[in-house]
Amino acid sequence: MTTMSIWRRSLWRYRVTTAGITLTLFGAATALDNPPTAVSVLAAVCGCAVSLLEIRANRRRARLVRFQSRDGDNYRDLSTRLGSLGPVVESAHDVGVVMTRESARLRDQPVRVELEGTPYRLPRELRAWSFDFLARRARVAAMYNGDILGLASDLPSDDEDVAVKLRPGRYFDFFCSNLLAPFDVWQTGRKLPLLQGRELILDQRGQLLPFGRSRLANTVGVSSLAFTTDGQLILVAQARDNVGSPGLIAPSGSGALEPRDVPQAGAALTIGDVVRRGAERELREECHIGAHEIGTSSIVGHGRWVSRGAMPEFCVVTLLDLTSDQVLDRAIRLVERAYVSEVLAVDLTPTSGWNPRKPLAMLPEEIRGSASWPLAFGLACLAQSVADESWPLRQELTRRLTQEETLPASGKPSRSPTAG
């Protein structure tokens, strides 16, 4: 699907070349038929010339454009502004922020959601570089151009009854907008970049752009922290070709919200319901779990992944009706092997030491450096939720986490720092 989609985009970008090839084929096909030979030869020559000129022009343009990654950009200059929104969460490679007030609102009461009919379209200034960026990155990444849902408005942070707007789009639009934001676009011979990625996420005052004013697709990221009946957290080691968090340890299930996650019926549609459905779908797909094996899920937080164009991210906590051994004994589904390399089960540190500003300290020490940003974000939201006595899963999750360290039936330790 990825190859075919890029091929279709290539046809549009090289439309003059396509027309030239058509002329060439016309000339060759009719050279010995009714039209005068001179006309056929002229059509073939013109077609070859037009095709060659456009191919050379596009190749020359592609060589002049460079996408310079800002790998060292940790956004520390924004720490004060981001800190006013909530805990700033850092992983080994990325940075983002937990939207504390919005997260509390999501846990406390439902937030209505509306679907927009008009899909997202890349703005002109991004469309100019989209094909070059996509073609270069797609060579080394496992992905497909599926349907996604993006956030087109901010979440309310108070009791105001405002509906959140979701907008349909395609994954390649997200790829060429949010995933372009960590890069600067340069052209040979120019002293200044053609496009600075930071301009896509910050306004003139250096504040994060609200979703209503953003030019990006802002695909809704959803993830789940799934806990087994013996109190272990299930994690997923992502494959190195995965666009999400290549080669890193991710939540139990993580991905993008899709139109199929929206219930077909129901006037009282909430963002919490949609996010839970999306997160549970990703969990079932990546960990090979059936719907009947999921006990209950509860949304725990909303944040913005600053390193990815400040895209929206949501996390839920899921209680499974399975032991860790039952999860780990299952083979990874064939269709998921391009994205998932291994499923793990780990113990978290005691809840008394959980700090939403130091979420990676909740993990076993040996995997902290390999944690993805969605995992760090989810743990920060989990720490906030456990401290909230009104959170509905608090009592049951605490019971699972504080149970004895051994399984009487097996006579062996049920939990180790890592398993699988």
Side-chain angles (χ1 to χ4, degrees):
M1 292 177 65
T2 300
T3 303
M4 291 298 294
S5 184
I6 294 177
W7 181 74
R8 288 195 299 270
R9 289 183 177 224
S10 300
L11 283 182
W12 174 247
R13 180 174 185 185
Y14 289 87
R15 51 194 178 276
V16 177
T17 300
T18 304
I21 293 174
T22 303
L23 285 172
T24 303
L25 293 176
F26 170 78
T30 61
L32 302 177
D33 205 348
N34 293 330
T37 303
V39 174
S40 299
V41 172
L42 180 61
V45 171
C46 290
C48 290
V50 168
S51 300
L52 180 61
L53 288 174
E54 193 194 30
I55 290 174
R56 290 183 61 185
N58 279 300
R59 289 176 61 86
R60 183 168 59 252
R61 175 182 175 276
R63 286 196 297 267
L64 293 176
V65 176
R66 184 177 80 256
F67 300 96
Q68 183 63 48
S69 174
R70 301 194 315 279
D71 288 336
D73 191 350
N74 54 20
Y75 300 92
R76 293 194 186 280
D77 56 310
L78 305 179
S79 58
T80 302
R81 303 186 188 98
L82 294 176
S84 64
L85 302 174
V88 176
V89 177
E90 295 187 32
S91 65
H93 304 280
D94 295 309
V95 63
V97 61
V98 177
M99 309 293 285
T100 297
R101 296 176 62 187
E102 290 82 352
S103 298
R105 166 70 190 271
L106 285 173
R107 294 194 299 268
D108 182 59
Q109 55 185 304
V111 177
R112 292 186 300 111
V113 68
E114 295 178 354
L115 294 179
E116 290 191 347
T118 304
Y120 171 81
R121 291 287 182 266
L122 279 173
R124 181 178 300 176
E125 64 270 24
L126 298 183
R127 195 162 56 243
W129 322 111
S130 62
F131 181 83
D132 291 320
F133 184 70
L134 177 64
R136 296 180 192 185
R137 295 296 303 278
R139 297 171 186 167
V140 294
M143 59 181 177
Y144 73 101
N145 192 25
D147 295 316
I148 53 89
L149 291 175
L151 202 59
S153 67
D154 291 303
L155 270 70
S157 58
D158 48 30
D159 293 333
E160 187 178 5
D161 185 20
V162 178
V164 178
K165 295 181 180 180
L166 291 176
R167 176 174 54 196
R170 302 285 289 177
Y171 187 82
F172 279 3
D173 293 328
F174 161 73
F175 194 95
C176 297
S177 58
N178 284 87
L179 296 190
L180 177 62
F183 294 80
D184 295 331
V185 183
W186 290 81
Q187 187 175 40
T188 302
R190 291 179 61 98
K191 295 183 179 180
L192 296 175
L194 297 172
L195 176 70
Q196 290 182 309
R198 275 192 167 213
E199 296 175 353
L200 300 175
I201 64 175
L202 303 175
D203 61 18
Q204 294 179 345
R205 299 176 300 166
Q207 305 282 352
L208 288 180
L209 283 167
F211 292 118
R213 290 173 50 200
S214 175
R215 295 171 287 170
L216 308 180
N218 293 317
T219 296
V220 178
V222 292
S223 60
S224 171
L225 296 178
F227 289 87
T228 59
T229 55
D230 51 338
Q232 289 201 295
L233 172 62
I234 300 300
L235 299 177
V236 169
Q238 295 201 347
R240 294 192 178 276
D241 291 338
N242 195 330
V243 173
S245 299
L248 300 179
I249 306 298
S252 317
S254 59
L257 201 63
E258 300 179 7
R260 57 176 166 163
D261 299 322
V262 180
Q264 296 300 313
L269 193 62
T270 69
I271 187 66
D273 292 335
V274 177
V275 166
R276 279 194 295 271
R277 288 169 62 95
E280 289 184 358
R281 172 183 53 76
E282 293 287 350
L283 172 63
R284 295 195 306 269
E285 293 173 352
E286 297 185 3
C287 294
H288 201 171
I289 292 174
H292 64 284
E293 297 170 322
I294 294 177
T296 184
S297 297
S298 176
I299 192 167
V300 291
H302 162 56
R304 299 191 65 171
W305 193 345
V306 178
S307 299
R308 291 211 165 176
M311 63 175 286
E313 189 77 21
F314 293 85
C315 184
V316 307
V317 166
T318 299
L319 300 182
L320 298 174
D321 293 333
L322 297 168
T323 66
S324 56
D325 286 340
Q326 289 175 316
V327 176
L328 297 177
D329 284 343
R330 302 181 181 187
I332 299 170
R333 298 166 62 226
L334 182 61
V335 295
E336 293 294 324
R337 291 180 184 174
Y339 310 98
V340 176
S341 63
E342 189 177 4
V343 176
L344 313 172
V346 303
D347 274 324
L348 296 182
T349 59
T351 58
S352 58
W354 287 5
N355 184 346
R357 298 189 179 277
K358 297 180 180 180
L360 295 183
M362 299 164 62
L363 293 169
E365 186 174 356
E366 58 267 26
I367 67 171
R368 293 173 187 175
S370 301
S372 67
W373 189 84
L375 175 55
F377 160 74
L379 292 172
C381 294
L382 175 62
Q384 286 186 337
S385 300
V386 168
D388 182 358
E389 295 186 357
S390 64
W391 184 48
L393 299 189
R394 181 175 185 269
Q395 183 175 356
E396 173 59 19
L397 178 60
T398 302
R399 186 194 67 79
R400 293 191 181 193
L401 293 173
T402 56
Q403 63 184 298
E404 293 184 357
E405 296 292 320
T406 60
L407 282 175
S410 64
K412 62 181 181 181
S414 68
R415 296 197 291 267
S416 59
T418 60

